[in-house]
Amino acid sequence: MTTLILEGSKYLMIFLMIYYAYLNFRFFGEKYDFRKLKLCRKQNGAMFLIHFLGFLSLYLSRGEEKILVFYGAQVLFFAFYLGLSRVFYRNISRLLLNNVCLLLSVGFLMLARLDMEKAVRQFVIAAAAAVISWIIPFIIDRVWQLSRIPWIYGGAGLALLLTVCVAGVTSYGAKMTLELGGISLQPTEFVKISYVFFVATMFYRSTDFRSVAVTTAMAAAHVLVLVLSKDLGNGLIFFLTYLFMLFVATGKWLYLTAGLGAGCLASAGAYALFPHVQTRVAAWLDPWSDVANKGYQIAQSLFAMGTGGWMGMGLDQGLPGKIPVVEKDFMISAIGEELGGLFAICLILICLGCFLQFMMIATRMQAMFYKLIAFGLGCEYIIQVFLTVGGAVKFIPLTGMTLPLVSYGGSSMVGTFILFSVIQGLYILKRNEEEDDEENESQS
Amino acid sequence: MKKTNPNPNANRNILRLAYVVSGVFVCMLLYLGYFLQFESGGVINNAYNPRVDLLSERVVRGEIQSSDGQILARTVTSEDGTERREYPFGSLYAHVVGYTGKGRTGLESLNNFYLLTSHVNLAEQVFNQFSGIKNLGDNVVTTLDSNLQQTAYDLLGDRRGAVVAMEPDTGKILAMVSKPDYDPNTIAEDWERLTADEEGEARLLNRATQGLYAPGSTFKILTLLEYLREHPDDWEEFHFDCDGLYENGEYTIQCYHGEAHGSQDLMQAFANSCNGAFAQIGLELDKGKFRTLTEEMLYNQELPLSLSYSRSSFSMTEDGDTWEILQTAIGQGKTQVTPIHQLLITAAIANGGTLMKPYFVDHVENAGGQEVKKFMPSSWGKLISAEEAASLTQFMSRVVTEGTGSALRTDAYTAAGKTGSAEFETGRETHAWFTGFAPAEAPQIAVTVIVEEGGSGGKAAAPIARGIFDAYFSE
Ligand SMILES: [Zn+2]
């Protein structure tokens, strides 16, 4: 009987995940609000069912009662978070809200399977971050000075990065972490947001040559400090995000092509300069000649995904623990191994769906400031997803990035919540404005 | 907030970038899909993948079969559900098929993943999963010929040594025997005795691929080749008078049992395996080029072989002294070679200079006999030119027709080869070598034989090759 439920759950979860991803993309094609609402309700149903089946499988496999308790806590959290968010902000984007919850639930499930203690920690941090970030849309709506203080964003961000570069703790070759009284922080996750705000405020003021030069210098300083900390993955995210924001703000292809050219040169330089970059590129090109050492991580990731195949081994039936730092850099491989390649692909599509939603919000914002913020944060998000997934499936060399909302990590969790809440804030702002317009029209 | 004059292009550019990003993601997902569908099977069949063993909880390990359908290994499930690996031929295939249980060796290890993967139809798999029945794993059909394997096994008898046979034009391994051996059925019970190895028999060692021996006179093939390269036009003028004992300063080299070969040209010296003649040739050779040649022939190199093997070594450098040269030229000295390596060199000569990668598995089929994966012959590359191969074939034919390989003289086919009697310790019998192929004009099978302390290659090893050729051509 147990095997029956376990096997059945596996296939049902894949089916529900495909259904959820399908609804996500159907949403973009829907015109009428009531239909959109219906889609979102179905998504909620699918998400709770996936979550339930996942934890049921885990419980049947492990037989530990704390799993049930943990599951109950999560259901309460999701129910309250989904419900209260809509009470506080009537016009919140339900699609984004659903996607956040889905990504969180899959992350909690895989973490609980890998390491219960970490899963509980992650859950507590996520719940706190969710509550705190409720205030962000409120701030965006009321505090119009946000667009006035570029040098506070830029200065504070750069100062934080410099602190990490000087006083940070090195892990896996890169300096990313600050140890503060027993808590380890990754300030880069927050600088990502201040950085986008900085660039957006600068270009909002002016896009003349002088402003572009000054902003470029400041952005370059960010990237340079990251490179000095050997945090090349984040360096790449900052670099590309700036380039794309510059392109959208000015509309000049020259900037984009020149920037990409410079980026290629810089990559070649980094390759020549840093031995660990050479190692990673070599491991990407051919992990098999040195499986025991250089190719170990990527080989284990591919073994996991390959052994899982399209349908997966079933939750708790694989060996994702054999992949080094699986709970951070290789969550997607663990998901592929146990929940199935199809499930993993749907998850990636949902991340892409979030990005597309960000882009649609960006196009609908009238003020350049808001437009650039939505666009810049969206770029940061999707580049990070691309780096982590691409690295895990050997599409690109490994960069050691995490999958936002799914991978383990407190700073990343809080940073991503802020990122999503800022965009929710913009969306709410826009929807409120539209409603006002409609009311005015109907009155006149 | 004021509405600044938004760049009219901004929205279009945002959408453009969104399309580009979506395109990149589609490429990445297609790549992942391609990996899952087509590449994952090859990737996960890797000794570093710890997951393969998990599969044994869901799949009954498949059979290993010979090319003619004999079952070499199968898993028997008793009524209480316990599984036992059974090897119906006992020790006959011990080294090549290997064992599973106390770790894994041989084909059991190389094909672990295929044996533990089930390709019974999907409906049946799903049904089995739901009802908790294990699926039947795929069967691995090898290139091994049960008749040749048995012949080689019987002819080697209770002597120590190894026999390997392969198709030179495909690389299919037809037989691989190593003795002394063990019974893989009782490996667990015998484990302590086998690993303690108090008699120094090294029964677990696959001598065919891991045994390192002095090549003896079989090495003269390479000495000859280097001489032909350095004397492309005047080698026919070579002449040597053999009185059974070659002297050079304080050093002496003896022909086998001190036999005086008399007046020898190059062809005769090779056919009779005249040590004096080849010692003198050795002194004339360019040592640097000679070393290069041996390394081109895969000495000190990796072999294209999936089974675990030892690496052959050739150690003479440009500053080797006279004694080292004299010894090395006739295959004594520090040179060490494995039987499989000898076979690969021989097969390349038989195949016009091109070495085919040796392989053991012809195809993998599901429990119902449907083919799942087929392995095709593949070339490693040229070891020597076609002209050199033709020329060496002529020399090796003479060994059989007029020289030390008389055991292979027959009207049924024309064989070519080289014998060897390798000294390894003063006062003990020499190791007997034979390596060769047949038919000389269109080779179909190549064989390498070593009999430890067998005495003369012509008397101890060549008859075994004869028996294998006879069996092969009477099939
Ligand atoms: Zn002689």
Side-chain angles (χ1 to χ4, degrees), chain A residues 250-268:
Chain A
T250 61
K252 287 191 178 144
W253 289 90
L254 177 69
Y255 287 146
L256 186 67
T257 44
L260 287 175
C264 291
L265 283 179
S267 311

Side-chain angles (χ1 to χ4, degrees), chain B residues 240 242 244 255 259-261 273-277:
Chain B
F240 183 78
C242 173
C255 280
E259 189 186 345
H261 294 113
S273 204
C274 178
N275 284 345

Side-chain angles (χ1 to χ4, degrees), chain A residues 122 125 129 136 156-158 160-161 164 171 175-178 184-197 222 226 231 233-235 237-238 328-329 376-377 380-385 387-388 399-420 422:
Chain A
Q122 175 94 339
I125 293 172
I136 289 173
L158 197 56
L160 267 176
L161 289 187
V164 180
S171 60
K175 271 189 190 171
M176 297 170 77
T177 318
L178 269 188
S184 55
L185 279 176
Q186 299 197 315
T188 319
E189 300 293 341
F190 307 109
V191 177
K192 273 180 191 161
I193 292 157
S194 67
Y195 175 75
V196 165
F197 271 75
H222 278 80
L226 285 169
D231 186 359
N234 277 318
I237 293 179
F238 277 57
K328 286 188 172 170
D329 300 4
L377 292 177
E380 284 187 335
Y381 173 75
I382 203 66
I383 296 169
Q384 177 154 357
V385 172
L387 291 182
T388 178
T399 48
M401 289 286 107
T402 60
L403 190 57
L405 295 176
V406 180
S407 291
Y408 177 67
S411 302
S412 164
M413 178 60 77
V414 176
T416 313
F417 256 106
I418 296 174
L419 188 154
F420 272 79
V422 168

Side-chain angles (χ1 to χ4, degrees), chain B residues 16-226:
Chain B
R16 276 182 183 146
L17 282 170
Y19 288 137
V20 171
V21 167
S22 305
V24 170
F25 266 72
V26 168
C27 290
M28 181 168 73
L29 293 180
L30 287 177
Y31 177 85
L32 174 57
Y34 180 83
F35 168 79
L36 290 175
Q37 186 65 36
F38 300 106
E39 282 187 336
S40 60
V43 163
I44 57 189
N45 184 22
N46 188 304
Y48 285 93
N49 185 4
R51 292 166 182 80
V52 175
D53 291 330
L54 288 181
L55 297 171
S56 64
E57 287 165 24
R58 308 172 176 209
V59 173
V60 180
R61 196 177 181 82
E63 291 172 359
I64 298 178
Q65 300 175 358
S66 67
S67 61
D68 48 326
Q70 305 281 345
I71 295 169
L72 311 183
R74 68 175 161 221
T75 290
V76 184
T77 311
S78 63
E79 277 180 27
D80 62 352
T82 52
E83 289 175 354
R84 189 171 54 83
R85 196 68 171 160
E86 190 180 274
Y87 301 89
F89 290 93
S91 58
L92 178 53
Y93 292 89
H95 293 97
V96 58
V97 167
Y99 54 80
T100 181
K102 284 277 179 188
R104 250 174 239 114
T105 60
L107 298 180
E108 287 275 35
S109 166
L110 293 179
N111 298 285
N112 199 26
F113 175 73
Y114 295 122
L115 294 166
L116 287 173
T117 306
S118 179
H119 279 91
V120 298
N121 70 61
L122 205 64
E124 196 178 330
Q125 277 193 48
V126 173
F127 174 79
N128 284 347
Q129 272 185 353
F130 279 112
S131 39
I133 302 172
K134 280 186 170 186
N135 286 309
L136 293 178
D138 293 347
N139 296 333
V140 166
V141 181
T142 64
T143 56
L144 298 169
D145 180 313
S146 66
N147 182 25
L148 292 187
Q149 181 82 7
Q150 188 75 52
T151 307
Y153 186 86
D154 294 344
L155 289 173
L156 195 53
D158 48 16
R159 294 174 288 182
R160 293 184 190 181
V163 181
V164 211
M166 138 176 175
E167 283 182 7
D169 55 340
T170 61
K172 284 183 181 175
I173 298 290
L174 301 173
M176 179 179 276
V177 171
S178 170
K179 289 200 179 180
D181 49 27
Y182 59 90
D183 184 353
N185 289 304
T186 54
I187 187 84
E189 297 90 272
D190 303 342
W191 188 249
E192 269 179 43
R193 185 174 55 80
L194 289 170
T195 47
D197 193 26
E198 275 159 14
E199 283 116 77
E201 299 173 295
R203 283 175 180 269
L204 292 171
L205 187 80
N206 184 355
R207 285 167 163 76
T209 60
Q210 295 171 306
L212 282 171
Y213 303 95
S217 298
T218 55
F219 194 77
K220 286 177 186 154
I221 297 172
L222 300 195
T223 311
L224 171 69
L225 178 59
E226 179 59 26

Side-chain angles (χ1 to χ4, degrees), chain A residues 93-144:
Chain A
S93 163
R94 288 195 57 180
L95 185 73
L96 274 186
L97 196 62
N98 287 352
N99 286 351
V100 168
C101 289
L102 180 96
L103 293 172
L104 280 177
S105 69
V106 173
F108 291 156
L109 177 64
M110 275 323 285
L111 271 179
R113 179 258 175 270
L114 289 167
D115 186 336
M116 198 63 184
E117 214 170 294
K118 283 184 177 161
V120 173
R121 265 184 61 121
Q122 175 94 339
F123 172 66
V124 171
I125 293 172
V131 171
I132 293 165
S133 59
W134 262 331
I135 199 169
I136 289 173
F138 180 83
I139 295 175
I140 287 181
D141 197 18
R142 310 292 147 96
V143 187
W144 54 270

Side-chain angles (χ1 to χ4, degrees), chain B residues 287-467:
Chain B
K287 280 173 273 180
K289 283 189 187 159
F290 193 28
R291 187 182 170 88
T292 310
L293 175 127
T294 59
E295 296 197 333
E296 279 168 17
M297 303 297 261
L298 303 179
Y299 275 89
N300 304 330
Q301 312 290 322
E302 298 294 331
L303 297 180
L305 188 69
S306 45
L307 281 182
S308 44
Y309 63 92
S310 304
R311 201 149 84 156
S312 304
S313 63
F314 179 85
S315 56
M316 187 175 74
T317 57
E318 297 229 24
D319 18 80
D321 59 22
T322 307
W323 179 239
E324 192 176 359
I325 302 163
L326 294 175
Q327 291 275 304
T328 304
I330 60 168
Q332 295 298 149
K334 292 178 202 147
T335 310
Q336 298 260 289
V337 70
T338 56
I340 187 79
H341 183 191
Q342 292 271 44
L343 179 68
L344 295 184
I345 294 174
T346 309
I349 295 169
N351 193 39
T354 302
L355 173 63
M356 299 304 290
K357 290 185 190 165
Y359 68 105
F360 297 83
V361 178
D362 182 74
H363 65 276
V364 179
E365 58 186 36
N366 72 8
Q370 281 169 306
E371 188 174 294
V372 170
K373 187 176 174 71
K374 174 88 181 161
F375 293 88
M376 302 307 283
S378 66
S379 158
W380 182 88
K382 280 241 171 235
L383 284 189
I384 53 175
S385 73
E387 295 74 38
E388 287 169 338
S391 174
L392 288 176
T393 303
Q394 258 189 326
F395 276 88
M396 290 164 78
S397 300
R398 280 284 282 275
V399 172
V400 173
T401 53
E402 284 160 38
T404 53
S406 56
L408 288 118
R409 272 174 225 163
T410 166
D411 295 334
Y413 51 84
T414 51
K418 183 73 191 83
T419 58
S421 313
E423 291 164 24
F424 71 102
E425 210 180 294
T426 21
R428 307 219 359 215
E429 263 300 0
T430 53
H431 292 328
W433 278 104
F434 179 83
T435 188
F437 51 88
E441 57 284 359
Q444 295 175 29
I445 176 171
V447 170
T448 296
V449 178
I450 181 156
V451 183
E452 290 181 18
E453 298 184 60
S456 124
K459 292 209 178 76
I464 297 179
R466 167 72 187 265

